[in-house]
Amino acid sequence: MNDDYKGYRDPAKKVLIEHKVRVWSEVKMRTTRGHFEGTILPRSETSDAKHIVLKLANGYNIGILSDTVETIEEQSYKEAIYKIPEKEFPTDPKKPNIKLLGTGGTIASRLDYRTGAVIPAFSPGELYGSVPELADYCNLTTEKLFGVFSENMGPEQWIRLAEAIGEAIEAGTDGIVIGHGTDVMHHTAAILSFMVQDSPVPIVMVGSQRSSDRPSSDAALNLIHAVNTAGKSDIAEVVVSMFGPTSDQYGLLHRGTRVRKMHSSYRSTFRTIGDIPLAMVDREKITPLRSDYKKRRNDRRVKINTAFEEKVSIVYYYPNMQPDIIDSLIDNGYRGIVIAGTGLGHVNKPVYKALERAQKKGVAVYMTVQTLWGYVQMYVYETGRRLMELGVIPGANMLPEVAYVKLCWALGQTDDLDKVKKIMLTPIAGEITEREPYNGYLIYQGGIPEVEEFLRTIKR
Amino acid sequence: MSELLKPFEEMTADDYRDLGMKSGLEIHQQLLTEKKLFCRCPAGHYSNEYDAEILRHMRPTLSELGEYDGTALMEFKTKKNITYRINHQTVCTYEMDDTPPFEINPEALDSALQIAQLMNYKMVGEIHIARKQYLDGSIPTGFQRTTIVGVDGWIKLNGRRIGLIQLGLEEDACREVSDVGHERIYITDRLGMPLIETVTEPVLFTPQEAAEAAQLLRWIVRSTGRVRTGIGAARQDVNVSITGGTRIEIKGVPRIPMIPRLIYNEVMRQHALLKIRDILNSRGIRDATFKAGDEDVTLLVNKTEWDPIAQAVKRGETVRCINLRGYAGILSHRTQTGKTFSKEISDRVRVIACLTRLPNLLTSESTEETIDSYIWNKIRRKMGADSHDALILVWGTEGDVETAVKEIKIRAREAAIGIPNETRQALADSTNGFERILPGAERMYPDTDLPPLEITQERLERLQKQNPPPLWERFEKYTKIGVPAHLITSIAASVRARFFEHVVETLNVPPLKAAVFLFEMTRYWKRKKMNLSKMTDKRWELFFSSALAQPALWQKGAELIEMFLSEEEADFERLLKVYIPPAWKETNLEPAIEKIIRSEEKKISDKQKLKKRCMGIAMQTFKGHVLAEKVQAVLQRKLDAEGGSHE
């Protein structure tokens, strides 16, 4: 592979070739805007083709319009190598053995010149070098399963992940940490909650909202919280361990089927919906907030069930939705549809006839609520009762994304819609709860005096 | 001990040349924009009130070229809890690093591009936002978003070109509230405001010249009208080195007049540190041969009555002793006005080991009454120290003391090598103290959140057109046309300079008169909070042309304008006509004055008194119509003539 003109296209590339310089050349450049000296850097492929990137001696980068270039003189050539201080991870027989499974995503990332973006590329070994505190908590072994952006996760990765978890448990690990991008972390957490049954050890998913190339990153602390949980906690479930508040204070352990990413960029983006989190975690301890979780065991009896039907869709209802939306799914051979309905679980009348058709074609249709908080209740209004007659099954308080992965999983196991219904409506991993606690739904409203007081004094 | 340097007042340019003094400046100047640089928060709203606090820590990370930065590692050693105070009015989730940046504020970018051209910078074709790491927590992201718009510019100071290395556009940092132990508090209102950083080459050779260059740079940016003024709107850093020394950056100089003494003290410090190095080297102490031991001496000092250690023992802290082999006399060697080398070490311990309670160490060379000499003797025995050695005691929690011991050895060893690379902090007494290890280019890496932005030739040309002529050209011109020397700079640096030039050059108004009205009086009215926007350029032109025809207006004008400004309904054009009746002709003036003399000379015989009396009566009539000098001249002539006839 020729990286001499990494990311450059014509006309800038032509100018570099013409003047016999390449990426990493240290050059003196004469242009119509004056003289510039520096090192030629790779160019991001998504940037325009006209400019040459120069790193100046003071560390700044600038772009030079290739049209303005008169002469370029190469002074020397020195390729930069991005290196992370790698440390051999110390082992201590008294510490728990943790398996870190890598999937890509922000917790393991580095800068890439070609795209000008943060891409998943840290090897788990390099991770130790940047977070030496991990050795205070555990002995760590790592396995990089694949390197995909969070949004590119899918059944193939989920199945591989579930299998790897099973292998690690059988091999005797005391806890599992999964590094994962945050965008669809809650989808993965949910499907793993179904694919991995009766785990004897904690399965902790972790990521970061601020990439690890920056000093303010939450990656290191999240990782520390995750290994602390995996090694020490007695919560033998799939949990998401991410920042509680935006401050560097504590993390929260969210049950895999009740967690959701709720802000596009906040550190404290993950929230347990319709319930309270399982526990708080900091550098020292894990503080359970409830006791009804599955406990750690010494046996290795885990059940891995990676059944998955891909022909399932999620439909976010909006006013004036037309039946063709549902029809096109039926026509394309979809076997399951999860609707995120309004209010208690409703859609408008025009959609009815498409739902009737779905029922006839044997498509499994489940209702969830786009309010996210609260239960589906289809008896309250006539609309709901009519929808049930059309075969739409209320999904209780399953989150739409959770119902979606669960339906994929259920349809993967059987064609019998009654059996599917039984799987769907039987709580397996807390995805449906019998009661919503009074403190489960809390979205405080900024600006109100008592909330302001709370922000000033308690919330950090 | 002999003086290190002559007193500040006696130092000459030659003295500084002999020392090889070189200085450069970095001027940070806030831009006058409505909003911040990378978010839409209002700029320039300051308040110590806050609605919420958040807590963060900073970890060193890797730079683009692969090395951990020295500063970054040092800051991490300090393990600070950093608290940010947030006011909802001035800060959003961007500043708190919970939202990615918005596109760069085009108004701020325009300002930077315009100012850079005024200072002859070579303009880049495309700006790239970089992240400059700051692990002190002064920016919640841990880095400052910054970009270079031009390199290699120049200004002209006293006829000499001063080279400028770069002009950066960047976001401002937090204001520190306090820093005690492991707790540092920042207020965030200033965070994210756009500022430009102008960096000169190290080509200023006397402290005075550095101050002059700082002033010039300040006036130049002000002449564009695109910058903020007032407390904290401009801050300067000064770089100083001498022959054999190291480039030291002194940060946060609040006022330009402080610069000369600050430089003097830094020159003295570097001179002293080189002497110290020579002394150590002559004793055979070098980087490789440096030796220092340390021991826990808590049990030896736990009975002392000297308060700092007694209190530490009471708090259950550890006391450690460091023996610097062969360092006798070094710790008490003078470095700056009123400071010794031990202060260099104490500063490091304060910043790096977080031992902020002072004194944070005690040396065997202290001349004050501290711990008893028999305790010192016990310590000496334990440390195996003899009269060639120097001892330092340091106390604190175990972890902090361990960091302190390491740091003391590091700084002591550096003394045998030379002057360490440091960023230092300007202090109120014009000396300076350690702030952090000087960061290098390694702490810069590209900001991946924002794409590069092309700077088109059209944009540059449009902005260049808005630029005033360079200050040094105005200085020359104003001197030539006779603007009073004391007004030249303030007029030249003003955005009103253009109008001033128009009035003087096209209306032929005498420069002094134009200066008095457009600058001195205007400033006075502004202070009185009068609505100056009513005095449009058109009205000023009308006023000046009227005054040229009616010289009395030069005297009555201020009164008239003030009346116009304070009365809401006032009609300026009418006022000009009514307030000033047509000028008296000189032919009418003479008979009038003669008449006054005739009526008064009967009552008053004393000539002086008569003249005074006549002048008084005449001015009652002529004030505002005829210049007083003219009345006086006519009166004098008449009196002289009459006196002659009496004789």
Side-chain angles (χ1 to χ4, degrees):
Chain A
M1 193 176 69
N2 183 2
D3 275 348
D4 279 354
Y5 306 101
K6 215 171 179 177
Y8 284 97
R9 288 167 287 152
D10 288 342
K13 186 175 177 182
K14 221 172 103 191
V15 171
L16 294 180
I17 294 170
E18 218 169 86
H19 293 90
K20 300 192 175 61
V21 290
R22 53 193 167 145
V23 164
W24 304 122
S25 290
E26 289 180 20
V27 298
K28 279 188 179 169
M29 207 182 262
R30 215 177 68 204
T31 79
T32 55
R33 285 193 189 173
H35 284 70
F36 298 91
E37 276 181 49
T39 306
I40 297 175
L41 289 191
R43 178 123 180 120
S44 155
E45 277 171 353
T46 53
S47 296
D48 71 38
K50 303 186 290 187
H51 290 86
I52 298 169
V53 188
L54 214 55
K55 187 173 196 73
L56 309 180
N58 56 23
Y60 280 94
N61 293 356
I62 59 170
I64 307 280
L65 185 63
S66 56
D67 280 0
T68 65
V69 171
E70 291 168 351
T71 61
I72 310 178
E73 249 179 82
E74 185 175 75
Q75 307 296 304
S76 61
Y77 175 87
K78 190 181 157 201
E79 188 170 353
I81 298 155
Y82 192 84
K83 215 175 66 210
I84 293 145
E86 248 185 275
K87 280 192 204 161
E88 198 178 329
F89 206 91
T91 52
D92 176 352
K94 285 188 285 245
K95 292 201 165 83
N97 296 316
I98 300 299
K99 180 86 172 190
L100 171 65
L101 299 174
T103 66
T106 322
I107 193 152
S109 67
R110 57 168 271 190
L111 300 164
D112 179 71
Y113 287 114
R114 297 202 315 145
T115 58
V118 179
I119 59 151
F122 277 153
S123 77
E126 291 167 333
L127 261 180
Y128 313 153
S130 47
V131 193
E133 298 101 309
L134 295 178
D136 299 338
Y137 296 89
C138 63
N139 303 312
L140 198 64
T141 51
T142 67
E143 188 180 347
K144 191 185 169 195
L145 297 175
F146 33 80
V148 299
F149 285 120
S150 176
E151 63 271 21
N152 295 330
M153 289 291 290
E156 189 192 326
Q157 287 77 23
W158 288 333
I159 291 166
R160 176 77 195 92
L161 198 46
E163 286 165 351
I165 290 169
E167 289 156 18
I169 290 171
E170 272 166 38
T173 188
D174 295 311
I176 292 167
V177 175
I178 301 165
H180 200 287
T182 56
D183 278 9
V184 300
M185 189 189 275
H186 57 283
H187 296 80
T188 302
I191 190 69
L192 289 181
S193 301
F194 302 123
M195 286 183 171
V196 181
Q197 302 280 314
D198 296 331
S199 169
V201 299
I203 299 166
V204 187
M205 302 200 56
V206 68
S208 80
Q209 281 289 91
R210 292 289 90 76
S211 58
S212 48
D213 57 87
R214 48 206 280 168
S216 58
S217 172
D218 54 340
L221 195 53
N222 275 331
L223 204 54
I224 289 167
H225 290 159
V227 297
N228 193 14
T229 303
K232 213 192 290 172
S233 96
D234 65 340
I235 304 171
E237 292 193 23
V238 175
V239 297
V240 165
S241 170
M242 290 288 287
F243 264 37
T246 181
S247 288
D248 289 356
Q249 274 185 314
Y250 58 88
L252 290 174
L253 300 181
H254 304 279
R255 182 166 266 160
T257 55
R258 294 241 63 91
V259 64
R260 200 169 187 282
K261 188 174 185 179
M262 296 301 286
H263 194 280
S264 64
S265 56
Y266 251 73
R267 287 164 169 72
S268 50
T269 179
F270 284 94
R271 292 290 155 212
T272 289
I273 308 290
D275 213 327
I276 62 168
L278 293 176
M280 293 164 76
V281 56
D282 60 26
R283 286 165 181 268
E284 282 83 42
K285 60 191 183 302
I286 292 118
T287 311
L289 300 173
R290 44 198 295 170
S291 56
D292 61 342
Y293 50 81
K294 290 178 183 154
K295 301 289 188 298
R296 185 191 278 276
R297 308 186 310 270
N298 286 323
D299 65 70
R300 297 284 119 186
R301 288 192 300 274
V302 61
K303 281 179 250 156
I304 306 294
N305 178 353
T306 61
F308 198 91
E309 167 56 57
E310 292 193 31
K311 285 294 203 184
V312 176
S313 181
I314 188 162
V315 173
Y316 194 95
Y317 171 75
Y318 48 89
N320 199 34
M321 179 183 271
Q322 299 302 308
D324 53 1
I325 297 291
I326 304 286
D327 281 333
S328 64
L329 288 173
I330 301 166
D331 295 342
N332 281 297
Y334 276 76
R335 292 182 55 212
I337 297 172
V338 171
I339 299 172
T342 54
L344 291 163
H346 302 132
V347 295
N348 62 0
K349 238 179 197 146
V351 177
Y352 288 5
K353 60 175 187 290
L355 291 173
E356 198 172 0
R357 198 172 150 236
Q359 187 180 28
K360 280 186 190 137
K361 294 262 184 185
V363 179
V365 183
Y366 285 81
M367 181 62 76
T368 59
V369 290
Q370 53 186 248
T371 58
L372 302 178
W373 265 269
Y375 287 82
V376 176
Q377 223 295 16
M378 298 173 72
Y379 294 104
V380 175
Y381 297 104
E382 168 69 26
T383 315
R385 293 196 286 270
R386 178 76 189 119
L387 285 170
M388 285 195 290
E389 280 170 26
L390 298 172
V392 178
I393 301 166
N397 65 343
M398 260 189 290
L399 293 167
E401 298 85 357
V402 176
Y404 160 73
V405 297
K406 194 176 183 190
L407 189 53
C408 294
W409 184 65
L411 284 167
Q413 298 176 58
T414 174
D415 292 336
D416 183 338
L417 288 189
D418 288 334
K419 282 186 182 153
V420 169
K421 184 175 176 183
K422 194 166 175 236
I423 295 170
M424 284 300 286
L425 299 185
T426 308
I428 293 170
E431 73 278 21
I432 294 173
T433 59
E434 286 187 319
R435 44 197 290 274
E436 179 181 358
Y438 182 73
N439 58 354
Y441 170 68
L442 276 184
I443 301 180
Y444 41 52
Q445 192 69 66
I448 292 168
E450 63 260 36
V451 173
E452 293 302 304
E453 182 62 21
F454 171 71
L455 286 178
R456 208 170 3 254
T457 54
I458 297 168
K459 189 233 165 192
R460 281 190 135 190
Chain B
M1 194 184 294
S2 66
E3 281 298 317
L4 284 163
L5 291 180
K6 288 188 214 170
F8 171 74
E9 294 77 8
E10 292 171 26
M11 290 288 286
T12 63
D14 286 346
D15 292 332
Y16 286 110
R17 196 193 54 217
D18 292 346
L19 288 159
M21 194 285 273
K22 279 199 275 186
S23 174
L25 299 165
E26 276 178 32
I27 311 260
H28 298 96
Q29 169 70 58
Q30 288 177 343
L31 296 174
L32 184 59
T33 56
E34 192 194 335
K35 291 173 181 169
K36 291 185 177 180
L37 189 55
F38 289 112
C39 69
R40 308 297 175 243
C41 284
H45 291 222
Y46 290 119
S47 169
N48 287 323
E49 303 283 308
Y50 60 98
D51 302 303
E53 288 186 328
I54 69 167
L55 171 82
R56 294 274 168 79
H57 302 97
M58 294 292 150
R59 290 181 76 89
T61 61
L62 295 167
S63 86
E64 187 184 7
L65 294 174
E67 302 290 323
Y68 272 108
D69 182 70
T71 319
L73 283 179
M74 190 210 86
E75 298 282 357
F76 191 54
K77 280 189 206 167
T78 61
K79 293 191 188 103
K80 291 267 185 191
N81 288 326
I82 296 160
T83 300
Y84 298 102
R85 292 184 172 167
I86 299 163
N87 181 314
H88 297 332
Q89 303 301 318
T90 60
V91 174
C92 69
T93 52
Y94 165 71
E95 289 97 321
M96 288 306 109
D97 194 32
D98 269 323
T99 289
F102 299 85
E103 273 170 54
I104 195 165
N105 180 345
E107 189 189 5
L109 181 56
D110 274 354
S111 298
L113 294 171
Q114 185 187 323
I115 292 170
Q117 291 185 89
L118 183 57
M119 297 198 276
N120 305 295
Y121 279 97
K122 284 154 195 158
M123 306 302 291
V124 305
E126 191 185 56
I127 57 164
H128 287 240
I129 315 292
R131 298 173 173 180
K132 190 194 280 181
Q133 290 199 347
Y134 281 93
L135 283 115
D136 58 0
S138 58
I139 303 184
T141 43
F143 53 74
Q144 179 184 40
R145 285 193 166 90
T146 170
T147 187
I148 281 198
V149 303
V151 300
D152 200 9
W154 56 268
I155 54 167
K156 219 163 167 186
L157 174 67
N158 304 328
R160 185 163 77 87
R161 270 195 188 195
I162 305 293
L164 306 173
I165 299 173
Q166 69 199 46
L167 188 130
L169 171 61
E170 53 197 32
E171 46 187 2
D172 210 339
C174 292
R175 295 190 286 140
E176 187 179 299
V177 176
S178 64
D179 184 11
V180 179
H182 292 268
E183 304 291 331
R184 189 179 287 157
I185 299 174
Y186 288 107
I187 188 108
T188 51
D189 49 7
R190 199 181 70 186
L191 181 63
M193 279 173 61
L195 56 82
I196 50 169
E197 184 198 49
T198 310
V199 184
T200 76
E201 285 174 8
V203 292
L204 305 163
F205 300 115
T206 66
Q208 286 69 26
E209 194 176 41
E212 280 175 42
Q215 288 288 11
L216 179 61
L217 282 166
R218 182 167 69 149
W219 293 124
I220 290 173
V221 295
R222 282 197 184 177
S223 72
T224 64
R226 280 187 173 267
V227 300
R228 286 186 188 273
T229 55
I231 296 164
R235 303 186 294 278
Q236 28 289 308
D237 301 345
V238 182
N239 303 319
V240 184
S241 69
I242 63 171
T243 305
T246 304
R247 174 184 170 276
I248 292 295
E249 192 176 317
I250 306 168
K251 286 255 182 213
V253 183
R255 295 185 319 112
I256 292 173
M258 264 181 84
I259 289 177
R261 266 181 196 277
L262 262 174
I263 293 181
Y264 167 77
N265 270 313
E266 179 54 24
V267 167
M268 185 197 291
R269 193 182 75 96
Q270 296 199 20
H271 185 58
L273 292 178
L274 293 177
K275 273 195 161 174
I276 287 173
R277 178 197 62 190
D278 293 344
I279 296 168
L280 289 171
N281 289 356
S282 72
R283 293 177 187 175
I285 301 168
R286 288 165 200 281
D287 186 12
T289 57
F290 172 82
K291 273 197 206 103
D294 67 279
E295 295 284 348
D296 188 323
V297 295
T298 317
L299 294 176
L300 297 182
V301 297
N302 61 5
K303 296 280 179 342
T304 183
E305 281 173 16
W306 188 57
D307 202 51
I309 290 187
Q311 291 293 334
V313 170
K314 208 183 275 176
R315 288 190 299 267
E317 293 176 355
T318 308
V319 184
R320 288 267 276 269
C321 179
I322 298 96
N323 180 14
L324 301 170
R325 299 270 178 202
Y327 270 61
I330 298 297
L331 300 178
S332 52
H333 194 291
R334 244 187 84 192
T335 49
Q336 301 184 66
T337 309
K339 286 182 179 170
T340 63
F341 182 69
S342 63
K343 182 74 171 55
E344 299 264 323
I345 294 182
S346 165
D347 275 358
R348 282 276 183 96
V349 167
R350 175 176 54 80
V351 176
I352 294 180
C354 297
L355 297 175
T356 53
R357 194 183 282 122
L358 296 178
N360 57 3
L361 51 77
L362 174 65
T363 79
S364 53
E365 296 179 1
S366 169
T367 52
E368 286 162 40
E369 196 142 313
T370 56
I371 60 176
D372 295 333
S373 57
Y374 79 92
I375 298 182
W376 270 124
N377 286 338
K378 279 204 272 182
I379 296 172
R380 278 194 178 278
R381 268 198 300 283
K382 175 159 182 154
M383 302 303 297
D386 64 28
S387 61
H388 299 100
D389 301 338
L391 302 178
I392 297 178
L393 297 182
V394 63
W395 50 90
T397 62
E398 214 159 302
D400 289 348
V401 165
E402 202 180 312
T403 311
V405 168
K406 275 186 203 150
E407 201 55 40
I408 289 169
K409 290 182 186 173
I410 289 172
R411 182 62 191 92
R413 182 194 290 263
E414 283 168 349
I417 304 166
I419 301 161
N421 261 309
E422 291 173 341
T423 301
R424 301 185 62 86
Q425 193 178 13
L427 303 174
D429 65 356
S430 298
T431 62
N432 60 65
F434 173 76
E435 188 178 87
R436 63 164 85 100
I437 307 288
L438 190 72
E442 303 84 52
R443 67 172 172 158
M444 308 276 306
Y445 68 107
D447 183 27
T448 43
D449 294 333
L450 290 165
L453 181 70
E454 182 173 13
I455 305 299
T456 61
Q457 200 57 34
E458 295 73 51
R459 187 174 192 172
L460 290 176
E461 278 162 17
R462 171 175 61 81
L463 292 163
Q464 176 68 309
K465 274 192 204 128
Q466 297 172 28
N467 262 331
L471 272 195
W472 45 93
E473 283 179 15
R474 275 186 174 159
F475 290 161
E476 268 171 43
K477 185 160 114 186
Y478 291 4
T479 310
K480 211 181 284 169
I481 64 172
V483 177
H486 72 281
L487 287 174
I488 286 180
T489 314
S490 60
I491 296 175
S494 158
V495 282
R496 295 291 284 157
R498 274 213 179 128
F499 187 65
F500 168 79
E501 287 168 17
H502 162 71
V503 165
V504 170
E505 286 168 353
T506 51
L507 302 183
N508 289 318
V509 173
L512 178 62
K513 296 260 189 269
V516 165
F517 277 96
L518 290 176
F519 294 92
E520 289 189 344
M521 288 312 297
T522 304
R523 212 169 294 149
Y524 165 74
W525 290 322
K526 233 181 236 164
R527 267 203 302 275
K528 284 179 78 177
K529 303 238 177 328
M530 303 188 96
N531 178 17
L532 271 167
S533 63
K534 282 173 78 180
M535 269 316 278
T536 56
D537 286 357
K538 237 186 164 159
R539 291 203 165 112
W540 275 118
E541 282 175 13
L542 182 65
F543 168 75
F544 283 123
S545 50
S546 307
L548 286 170
Q550 296 260 21
L553 260 180
W554 297 128
Q555 280 171 9
K556 279 293 203 178
E559 205 176 296
L560 183 148
I561 292 169
E562 200 165 321
M563 183 186 287
F564 169 67
L565 292 176
S566 48
E567 280 172 29
E568 221 159 274
E569 301 289 308
D571 176 339
F572 190 68
E573 291 70 18
R574 217 183 127 255
L575 215 53
L576 266 180
K577 283 187 195 133
V578 175
Y579 208 70
I580 308 294
W584 283 59
K585 287 200 181 112
E586 210 156 318
T587 44
N588 296 336
L589 193 64
E590 298 212 6
I593 286 177
E594 252 172 60
K595 204 172 143 195
I596 294 169
I597 297 174
R598 234 165 271 138
S599 80
E600 293 303 310
E601 68 186 348
K602 291 168 201 157
K603 302 172 208 161
I604 304 164
S605 57
D606 182 90
K607 257 188 173 179
Q608 282 308 313
K609 281 186 183 158
L610 174 64
K611 185 180 159 192
K612 217 173 162 189
R613 173 79 183 156
C614 290
M615 188 68 194
I617 294 169
M619 281 319 286
Q620 280 172 15
T621 318
F622 300 128
K623 193 179 173 199
H625 308 203
V626 187
L627 285 173
E629 298 89 68
K630 192 156 272 174
V631 177
Q632 183 137 17
V634 172
L635 179 65
Q636 190 66 48
R637 204 167 65 227
K638 293 282 160 198
L639 283 175
D640 287 350
E642 302 229 337
S645 72
H646 278 287
E647 272 169 14

